Amino acid sequence: MQERLRTGIAGGSLGGLGAAALLTRAGHDVTVFERSASGLSGRGAGLVAQDELLALLRTAGRPDAARGTVTSERIVLDPAGRVVSRDPTPQTQLSWDVLYDALRSTLADAAYVTGMRVAGAGGSPGGAYLDLGSRGRREFDVVIGADGLHSAVRGFVAPEQKTNAYSGYVTWRGLLPETALPSEAAEVLIGRFAFFTGHGGHALGYLVPGPHGETEPGRRRYNWVWYRTLTAGALSDILDASGRRRDAGSLAPGELPAGLREGLVDDAARQLPPPFADAVAAESHPFLQAIYDYVPPRMTAGRVALLGDAAVVVRPHTAMGAAKAAADALALAGLLAERAPADALRAYDAARLPVGRWIADYGRRLAAGLPL
């Protein structure tokens, strides 16, 4: 191993946690700063199992967290809810919550600082720092910006190009016990990866493990996603009504006012096949994620690196966002084990930025084929 590095990580979601777990396992001193006061457990949904995620869990010493649910086939529904296409391709889905809890368990409590908003980052002689606002600066040998699509660390790495571009549509999501699905919907949806496209939207759904990784029938959860067009003004109105900042871009479960939820359920009844409409109605706390694009001119500056959505924001149609963050973490940790920090970060930028650009382009191509 190279020198023992003091590493500061802005953002404690999967990407930041993954990097922290790998660097800690390699013997480095790591501190993660997460702005949420309570951490992020319980805020995720479902993920398609990808090789990069599985490799991250193995390398971090938590391969046991890779337990998932398996769908037997992929189906397409028509507006009446009839199956019009089948693809007998098995697929495994993981739980975001389980992955988060597993990676979080690899860090000591003192290494994961909650309620700490990072205001920015910068370079210093022989290292870098994180600006913690009124709490001052913390100096490190290496700084990693894994603080998501509204990254404050981007301002140092790419000051000339740090703003996301809104795509013009959002995802509405739900994550509910499979037993909450009405029997008619469950008969169609359970055990399958289901899709529907039409009426200016695109919906899909699949099973994921229960909140503690349960995979037994009756203890799993159903994850549905509904892509819908939404003007920037209408998005701002929803965020205003929910008490969120206009630049927040998302609503967590429980933040959507009851009246807006009722409107979503009514729209689903008119626009989605009955099984999906029933799934939307069964979710008491739907949540929202606005879809953005962002590709930076670079992913590193000095001893500061961007990772995950802080680096490149990709469309969720790719099912590769979490996998990309995992691959970023694996690449950065591997290079820091082989090279001096400045050289490692330059190599990381050269290796990962072209990959991020390709995935971002791929996501936009997929979106172009949908009625969004």
Side-chain angles (χ1 to χ4, degrees), residues 174-176 178 181 189-190 205-207 221-224 276 279:
L175 185 65
L176 59 149
E178 64 175 305
L181 283 175
L189 300 175
I190 294 300
Y206 49 87
L207 284 173
R221 294 174 293 176
Y222 190 73
N223 177 75
W224 58 261
F276 276 139

Side-chain angles (χ1 to χ4, degrees), residues 345-367:
L345 267 62
R346 282 193 291 270
Y348 169 74
D349 180 69
R352 295 302 301 166
L353 183 55
V355 175
R357 284 176 174 153
W358 184 89
I359 298 173
D361 288 342
Y362 174 55
R364 287 190 288 268
R365 292 197 302 271
L366 288 176

Side-chain angles (χ1 to χ4, degrees), residues 178-193:
E178 64 175 305
T179 54
L181 283 175
S183 58
E184 296 86 351
E187 185 176 349
V188 175
L189 300 175
I190 294 300
R192 295 161 167 160
F193 203 122

Side-chain angles (χ1 to χ4, degrees), residues 73-212:
E73 61 179 350
R74 297 163 72 92
I75 62 172
V76 176
L77 302 180
D78 71 6
R82 295 182 294 259
V83 178
V84 294
S85 174
R86 297 180 186 272
D87 177 8
T89 301
Q91 184 169 291
T92 301
Q93 292 77 233
L94 306 177
S95 166
W96 190 98
D97 299 326
V98 172
L99 268 62
Y100 171 86
D101 290 340
L103 293 172
R104 174 67 184 85
S105 73
T106 66
L107 303 182
D109 288 345
Y112 192 87
V113 183
T114 56
M116 187 71 73
R117 182 181 292 275
V118 171
S124 59
Y129 68 84
L130 284 172
D131 178 359
L132 303 177
S134 63
R135 303 193 187 190
R137 291 182 176 181
R138 286 282 300 273
E139 298 282 341
F140 298 97
D141 298 311
V142 172
V143 159
I144 299 172
D147 47 342
L149 61 89
H150 296 298
S151 171
V153 179
R154 279 184 195 164
F156 174 73
V157 175
E160 76 278 32
Q161 188 178 326
K162 59 183 181 180
T163 304
N164 305 300
Y166 177 51
S167 68
Y169 64 99
V170 303
T171 62
W172 290 99
R173 305 189 68 139
L175 185 65
L176 59 149
E178 64 175 305
T179 54
L181 283 175
S183 58
E184 296 86 351
E187 185 176 349
V188 175
L189 300 175
I190 294 300
R192 295 161 167 160
F193 203 122
F195 297 87
F196 170 75
T197 301
H199 301 292
H202 175 64
L204 58 101
Y206 49 87
L207 284 173
V208 300
H212 302 292

Side-chain angles (χ1 to χ4, degrees), residues 79 196 199 226 228 262-273 277:
F196 170 75
H199 301 292
W226 186 13
R228 303 185 69 194
E262 292 167 3
L264 184 71
V265 171
D266 290 344
D267 287 348
R270 291 192 303 271
Q271 299 176 19
L272 293 179

